[in-house]
Amino acid sequence: MEFLSQMWSLLGLLTILQNVLPTQLLSLLHSLWQSLQDSMTPYSYFDVPEFLGSAAVEPNALYRHVQLYLHRSLLLSSPPPPRLTLSLPRSVVAVSGGGHDAAVPAPPSVSLSPNHSVADAFNGHRAVWTHHADTLQDSLEERRSFSLRLPKRHAAAMLPAYLAHLAAAADHLERSSRARRLHTNAASPRGAATWSSVPFCHPSTFDTLALDPDLKARLLADLTAFADGREFYRRTGRPWKRGYLLHGPPGSGKSSLIAAMANHLRYDVFDLELTRVTTNADLRALLIQTTNRSLIVIEDIDCSLHLTGDRGAGLASRQRNKRRRLIATASDDSSDSDNDGGDMGGADNHRAKVTLSGLLNFTDGLWSCCGEERIIVFTTNHVDGIDPALLRPGRMDVHVRLGACGAHAMRELVDRYVGVHDHEMLDAASGCIRDGAEMTPAEVGEVLLRNRDDPDAAVTELAVELKARQSAADEPQWEDSAEELSDESPTKKGRKGLRWESKVRILGRLRSLTKSESGRRGV
């Protein structure tokens, strides 16, 4: 009781002094007391406010890193901290399941409750994070911050490595949890070029792609090296971007590969439609609006614009105008000719939209360096139709040829679609591919899809189709001869009528060959 009485007396004295002493003196006494405490404590403290500056309007990136890092640490810690805050975002995440898109709530997030602490271990030392949330006077707003406590003797050596470890972990968590979107540019003849977007939920992954194993391994290694190459690109002075050219016939899987790349890297996708872009300036504006960690895709580049030969066409146009001016000068009606030439030149200028030069600057010029961690992807069915200037290293660094299904890819599709690992007709189909029969992954998938309820029929029809294509490739190509057959030709009608009869004979031949003494021998 005597001790409590003395404490009450001391508190009363402090209250009186606080009301009597000047504010400046009280601040000085508080600073001296704080300095005494700091000199006696064995710890160093570091504050991480949510916003920077006196106006507190600039977000602090380190605060976001700490928030993400503690989110992961809190989920893995055992036992968990005594008090956590659970929150559920209002937004939903679109997913694909059972062949239908559905909307499900995003998973709840975990954060440290205000004015509570959690411990972390790094290189044998103990770090303690405390979450502070102070309500501003006469306001409902909160001023939030984290404080880090480290052992004073090791703080100087420990802090840089610990913050690098924290940033790497936060970056990994943000990549794996961020909601991604598919963007496309809207046509804007009178306004600024802009993007519109929807949630990106394409199901294609490298696990579901039917690719040659070596090609798949090389692509994965290249993508991973690019995503982890921040220090390499910074050290070498190269812009942190990479170009991919995907070429091959329709149905070879170019779009599916793009989706798999985006899902593997957790990047947004910007699908650029060049025919909607009015000028080179609009193209630059769209590039500036793209975000870091994104795939910028231009599909069917050979069909989007007539870019090949722009430079030669421009030279020819200038030469024609020069000849026109010379003729006009020598003739009596020079004024009319001059007017015609001027009108044609003006028409050419008015007709010019996105040029080859503008696209080259988009992929490899100064404006292409306005962001980091971007991949530019071109697709085409005919690589010969693209100007070579677009294909050189530095613009399109990786060229990927996608074609007909190989034997391995075909077996992978059969296994995935109908669950067949071993079948006599599957061996025959592999033999047909080795002998030159060609089907794209889309064509193989369609055969399997329409027979997905009957695996035996699916594999049999696939083998028959491949054998028919092999036989057609071996037969003389009558359509290429000088004497073409019309649709009403009896010969052509007969060949059409024999199509299914020939397939029946092919099926019988396939079955006889697969049951021969050589066992499962490819045709």
Side-chain angles (χ1 to χ4, degrees):
M1 293 297 295
E2 183 178 356
F3 175 76
L4 290 176
S5 177
Q6 292 177 354
M7 289 295 299
W8 279 112
S9 300
L10 179 60
L11 290 175
L13 178 62
L14 291 176
T15 302
I16 294 174
L17 291 176
Q18 186 175 4
N19 294 328
V20 173
L21 295 178
T23 305
Q24 294 83 353
L25 181 58
L26 288 174
S27 300
L28 178 61
L29 292 175
H30 182 268
S31 300
L32 292 174
W33 175 250
Q34 192 67 43
S35 300
L36 179 62
Q37 283 185 317
D38 293 342
S39 62
M40 297 178 62
T41 181
Y43 302 106
S44 293
Y45 293 87
F46 304 89
D47 294 328
V48 184
E50 184 179 10
F51 296 97
L52 302 175
S54 58
V57 294
E58 181 182 354
N60 185 0
L62 184 56
Y63 181 90
R64 173 64 177 166
H65 288 173
V66 174
Q67 201 172 35
L68 290 170
Y69 177 77
L70 292 182
H71 172 84
R72 189 201 67 164
S73 300
L74 294 173
L75 291 177
L76 299 178
S77 61
S78 180
R83 186 175 291 274
L84 298 175
T85 299
L86 299 177
S87 59
L88 187 65
R90 184 179 299 177
S91 60
V92 296
V93 177
V95 297
S96 179
H100 300 282
D101 290 339
V104 297
S109 60
V110 181
S111 60
L112 188 63
S113 295
N115 303 317
H116 283 76
S117 302
V118 62
D120 188 27
F122 181 75
N123 289 344
H125 300 292
R126 190 169 185 264
V128 177
W129 287 99
T130 303
H131 183 205
H132 302 283
D134 301 322
T135 303
L136 300 179
Q137 187 174 5
D138 300 330
S139 174
L140 297 178
E141 297 183 2
E142 284 186 335
R143 180 169 295 172
R144 294 180 290 269
S145 65
F146 288 102
S147 66
L148 171 63
R149 191 186 77 184
L150 296 176
K152 184 180 291 185
R153 290 182 300 173
H154 307 287
M158 180 180 173
L159 184 63
Y162 182 59
L163 290 181
H165 162 74
L166 182 148
D171 183 71
H172 175 75
L173 182 62
E174 189 171 26
R175 285 175 184 268
S176 60
S177 61
R178 64 191 294 261
R180 293 170 298 117
R181 300 190 70 81
L182 172 63
H183 304 256
T184 187
N185 55 304
S188 53
R190 291 183 297 273
T194 58
W195 296 97
S196 58
S197 67
V198 296
F200 181 76
C201 51
H202 199 287
S204 178
T205 66
F206 276 95
D207 291 333
T208 63
L209 282 180
L211 287 178
D212 176 77
D214 292 337
L215 175 60
K216 184 183 295 188
R218 290 197 301 270
L219 284 173
L220 284 171
D222 189 78
L223 291 171
T224 302
F226 172 79
D228 297 337
R230 179 189 297 273
E231 293 303 323
F232 169 80
Y233 284 93
R234 188 170 296 172
R235 184 177 69 252
T236 57
R238 291 173 59 96
W240 194 5
K241 64 182 183 63
R242 196 154 178 80
Y244 280 77
L245 174 68
L246 311 183
H247 60 99
S252 56
K254 297 184 289 294
S255 298
S256 296
L257 177 55
I258 292 172
M261 293 167 63
N263 285 327
H264 176 71
L265 296 172
R266 306 291 303 179
Y267 283 6
D268 287 340
V269 178
F270 288 82
D271 184 16
L272 177 61
E273 179 57 60
L274 281 180
T275 57
R276 296 179 180 175
V277 183
T278 306
T279 63
N280 290 336
D282 288 338
L283 187 62
R284 288 194 298 269
L286 288 170
L287 176 64
I288 294 173
Q289 295 173 41
T290 60
T291 60
N292 295 339
R293 296 177 184 164
S294 60
L295 266 77
I296 304 173
V297 180
I298 303 179
E299 295 197 87
D300 298 321
I301 182 66
D302 55 319
C303 302
S304 297
L305 292 172
H306 297 292
L307 297 171
T308 302
D310 277 355
R311 292 169 293 181
L315 178 60
S317 177
R318 289 193 296 271
Q319 290 175 344
R320 286 195 302 271
N321 289 336
K322 183 177 181 181
R323 288 195 299 270
R324 205 175 279 121
R325 284 193 299 270
L326 290 174
I327 296 172
T329 303
S331 64
D332 294 333
D333 53 349
S334 59
S335 58
D336 294 338
S337 300
D338 285 338
N339 289 336
D340 293 341
D343 291 342
M344 293 187 68
D348 290 341
N349 291 333
H350 178 73
R351 200 165 52 241
K353 297 175 72 175
V354 176
T355 64
L356 176 63
S357 175
L359 191 58
L360 293 178
N361 288 328
F362 179 87
T363 57
D364 194 32
L366 292 176
W367 288 97
S368 68
C369 309
C370 62
E372 290 188 332
E373 207 169 346
R374 289 189 174 101
I375 291 179
I376 300 176
V377 183
F378 288 169
T379 72
T380 179
N381 296 335
H382 308 284
V383 70
D384 295 336
I386 302 178
D387 193 293
L390 279 171
L391 305 182
R392 71 165 178 81
R395 289 172 181 148
M396 293 295 107
D397 307 286
V398 181
H399 293 206
V400 181
R401 171 73 169 89
L402 299 173
C405 254
H408 176 88
M410 182 272 296
R411 286 179 173 271
E412 191 174 348
L413 286 173
V414 171
D415 185 17
R416 187 173 301 121
Y417 274 71
V418 296
V420 174
H421 309 281
D422 190 15
H423 194 282
E424 58 182 6
M425 303 306 293
L426 187 58
D427 294 334
S430 299
C432 292
I433 291 177
R434 287 192 294 269
D435 290 341
E438 292 187 353
M439 289 182 71
T440 64
E443 292 172 327
V444 173
E446 177 56 31
V447 172
L448 299 173
L449 182 63
R450 62 174 174 255
N451 295 284
R452 61 185 180 273
D453 295 329
D454 190 347
D456 185 74
V459 180
T460 300
E461 183 177 340
L462 180 61
V464 169
E465 182 63 32
L466 284 167
K467 182 58 183 174
R469 296 195 180 202
Q470 179 191 342
S471 301
D474 294 339
E475 291 177 357
Q477 299 299 315
W478 297 104
E479 291 79 6
D480 295 337
S481 64
E483 182 182 356
E484 295 184 358
L485 298 176
S486 65
D487 291 339
E488 293 77 20
S489 169
T491 307
K492 196 166 187 180
K493 288 182 179 179
R495 290 177 62 196
K496 287 184 177 180
L498 291 175
R499 177 174 177 82
W500 287 107
E501 295 179 8
S502 62
K503 285 194 173 185
V504 172
R505 291 198 299 270
I506 290 169
L507 177 58
R509 185 183 175 195
L510 285 171
R511 290 193 179 277
S512 64
L513 286 173
T514 53
K515 295 178 180 179
S516 63
E517 294 179 357
S518 59
R520 298 189 183 114
R521 178 165 58 86
V523 177

